[in-house]
Amino acid sequence: MASAAEQLAANMNMGSFARATELHKRLLFTVLAMVVFRIGCYVPIPGINNEAFLAFFQNPDGNRGILDMFNMFSGGAVQNMAVFALNVMPYISASIIVQLMGAVYPPWEKLRKEGGESGRKQLNQYTRYLTVVLALAQAFGIATQLNGQAGLIDEPGLFFIITTTTCLTAGTMFLMWLGEQITERGVGNGISLIIFAGIVAVLPGTIARLFGLAQQGQMSPFALIFIAAMAVAVVMFIVFMERAQRRLLIQYPKRQEGNRMAGGERSFLPLKVNTAGVIPPIFASSLLMLPTTVASLTATANLPPWMDWLPLVTAQMQHGQPLFSALYAILIVFFCFFYTSITFNPEDTAENLRKYGGFLPGIRPGKRTAEYLDYVLTRLTVIGAAYITAVCLLPEIVVANFGNGLYFGGTSVLIVVSVTMDTVAQIQSQLLAHQYEGLIKKAKLRGRGKGVTAPARR
């Protein structure tokens, strides 16, 4: 028999959506925030020669792998050298560092585990401070390298470096604030939605470029059909794996209440195969872009003898190269296990089950339950890490061989599909909450109606 929540979810329709005025406001705020983000992707930094920079960016002889990836996440802002060119990548890098420190640095670990809401806010504040530092460092590096490229800057000099550093840092901080506002006032997942919007914005141009390569004879029709079929298969595989879960049976003991027995209910503890979500590939991409973005701009410059190794390393860090693929896979696997350990604590879950009298059949409550949960979760994480690594690497290898410098790999597809599913789930949960509120109001009105009696006549 379906539960009450499942029955309500089955009855959701356009009528219930039309009555959810609070959801309308959240959707409208999210759309307006995305419009602001897209406008900022076309506001250029002062002092840039746009035509010269576009020619430099589209130079087929340059090392564009990392720049293409950065451009994809920023929604084309790098190609336009706009104020949002850094996007939210410094914030993601800062989040990685704070979470890593929260696992090894005792004061921050105490804030994360015992600080509650105030501890979480304090760690978020540290993340913001570190975001400013990383954004300043990356913006200064980009501004310095652009200033040294002949013909890209109208008036090179210290003033250009200062203004560019300020604009890029301010753009990142504004996007960080915008993502937080979307999470609070919109449909949630603000930072993920900003990355999602950037990827979707370049999708039509990517498809048009694919057809253009096929028309010009640079790509065979078979390769085009193969890439399209693989994209459909990857999307179906992602949807299947994101919905896959291991459900552990939880039994509650019976108890005596007066003359009858109560309790004895059964429920399930769902453990997702991919508990970490899209965080591992985003974190891995961010870490790989951090040291190689500036290096890709300086690889062809006049380098001192002690830096002769830099062009070789930069060339090996392009998509499809063995070094990049190996580092990318290692980082994805690491962040799968790391983020899963942060989001799900077997000991806390076992303790909560023990407090409420629940237990896993055949497993002793307490330590044994925690060990069993960790055993199951570890094996699920192995499957999830293998799935994410395959989805992120296999399409990129195909694109590197058939795409002629085109970048739209498995990481992009994974982010788009996962964020879409999460957003739909958020909307459905808010519709469900609205229906619950409506049922409660109707029940209260019925109760008042039954309790009203006619006034006595004198």
Side-chain angles (χ1 to χ4, degrees):
M1 183 177 178
S3 64
E6 291 173 344
Q7 292 177 3
L8 282 175
N11 293 329
M12 286 192 299
N13 50 32
M14 292 303 297
S16 60
F17 177 79
R19 292 189 295 270
T21 55
E22 178 66 22
L23 180 59
H24 297 168
K25 295 178 182 178
R26 289 181 173 274
L27 288 174
L28 179 60
F29 182 86
T30 303
V31 171
L32 292 177
M34 293 297 100
V35 171
V36 171
F37 165 66
R38 291 305 302 152
I39 292 175
C41 292
Y42 291 93
V43 178
I45 294 173
I48 295 286
N49 188 331
N50 293 330
E51 295 181 358
F53 182 81
L54 185 61
F56 166 77
F57 184 83
Q58 295 179 347
N59 181 15
D61 297 329
N63 294 318
R64 290 182 46 204
I66 296 299
L67 287 180
D68 276 335
M69 189 175 183
F70 222 144
N71 188 57
M72 181 269 300
F73 279 129
S74 63
V78 174
Q79 182 176 347
N80 302 322
M81 193 40 66
V83 293
F84 290 165
L86 286 181
N87 203 261
V88 293
M89 291 307 162
Y91 175 78
I92 294 175
S93 301
S95 300
I96 298 171
I97 297 173
V98 170
Q99 290 185 10
L100 287 173
M101 293 295 294
V104 298
Y105 184 53
W108 288 13
E109 185 179 9
K110 185 177 180 180
L111 280 177
R112 182 174 63 85
K113 292 183 176 180
E114 305 174 7
E117 184 66 19
S118 61
R120 186 185 64 83
K121 290 182 179 180
Q122 188 68 33
L123 289 177
N124 287 339
Q125 196 67 20
Y126 292 154
T127 304
R128 296 187 185 100
Y129 294 150
L130 188 56
T131 301
V132 176
V133 175
L134 293 179
L136 283 172
Q138 293 186 37
F140 178 78
I142 292 175
T144 303
Q145 301 306 322
L146 289 176
N147 187 69
Q149 299 291 331
L152 296 184
I153 311 303
D154 295 332
E155 296 181 2
L158 179 61
F159 182 74
F160 169 78
I161 295 176
I162 294 175
T163 55
T164 301
T165 302
T166 304
C167 289
L168 291 176
T169 304
T172 295
M173 300 309 297
F174 177 80
L175 287 181
M176 181 184 69
W177 173 83
L178 187 65
E180 293 176 351
Q181 297 303 309
I182 294 174
T183 302
E184 294 178 3
R185 304 182 184 182
V187 295
N189 302 323
I191 299 298
S192 297
L193 279 175
I194 289 176
I195 299 176
F196 166 85
I199 296 173
V200 172
V202 300
L203 180 58
T206 302
I207 297 175
R209 189 174 171 187
L210 274 173
F211 282 102
L213 291 174
Q215 290 179 353
Q216 297 171 7
Q218 301 181 20
M219 177 184 293
S220 65
F222 172 77
L224 182 62
I225 296 173
F226 178 74
I227 290 177
M230 187 190 65
V232 175
V234 167
V235 170
M236 295 175 61
F237 182 59
I238 291 173
V239 173
F240 173 78
M241 292 299 294
E242 290 297 322
R243 296 177 64 89
Q245 58 182 225
R246 169 77 184 276
R247 300 204 304 171
L248 299 178
L249 177 64
I250 298 177
Q251 181 73 44
Y252 291 92
K254 294 182 179 181
R255 60 184 183 276
Q256 184 78 26
E257 290 185 358
N259 295 327
R260 63 186 184 88
M261 297 294 294
E265 296 92 355
R266 291 184 176 184
S267 63
F268 292 94
L269 175 64
L271 298 178
K272 291 186 63 177
V273 172
N274 180 26
T275 306
V278 298
I279 297 300
I282 293 178
F283 279 11
S285 302
S286 179
L287 282 186
L288 287 177
M289 284 191 292
L290 188 62
T292 55
T293 301
V294 177
S296 63
L297 293 174
T298 59
T300 57
N302 295 325
L303 298 175
W306 59 273
M307 291 187 66
D308 291 340
W309 53 269
L310 185 59
L312 178 61
V313 173
T314 304
Q316 290 297 318
M317 290 298 294
Q318 305 307 309
H319 292 277
Q321 297 297 327
L323 178 60
F324 177 86
S325 300
L327 291 177
Y328 196 29
I330 292 172
L331 288 175
I332 287 176
V333 172
F334 169 76
F335 282 118
C336 278
F337 281 92
F338 173 74
Y339 201 76
T340 299
S341 66
I342 291 179
T343 56
F344 186 90
N345 191 327
E347 295 180 358
D348 292 345
T349 305
E351 181 64 22
N352 291 332
L353 287 176
R354 189 186 63 81
K355 285 182 180 179
Y356 292 101
F359 63 92
L360 300 175
I363 308 296
R364 290 184 179 180
K367 182 179 179 181
R368 294 293 185 184
T369 300
E371 291 176 352
Y372 180 74
L373 290 176
D374 183 68
Y375 171 84
V376 175
L377 190 64
T378 301
R379 279 145 185 79
L380 289 178
T381 306
V382 170
I383 300 174
Y387 139 69
I388 295 180
T389 304
V391 167
C392 292
L393 288 185
L394 290 180
E396 292 193 15
I397 294 174
V398 173
V399 169
N401 293 327
F402 297 102
N404 295 337
L406 181 69
Y407 181 77
F408 195 82
T411 307
S412 312
V413 180
L414 178 65
I415 293 173
V416 169
V417 176
S418 300
V419 174
T420 301
M421 294 176 64
D422 290 343
T423 304
V424 171
Q426 290 275 354
I427 294 174
Q428 288 180 341
S429 65
Q430 293 185 20
L431 280 175
L432 194 61
H434 180 266
Q435 284 190 307
Y436 269 123
E437 292 177 359
L439 290 176
I440 292 174
K441 289 181 180 180
K442 289 181 180 180
K444 288 182 178 180
L445 290 176
R446 289 175 183 174
R448 291 176 182 175
K450 292 180 180 179
V452 173
T453 57
R457 293 183 180 179
R458 294 181 179 179

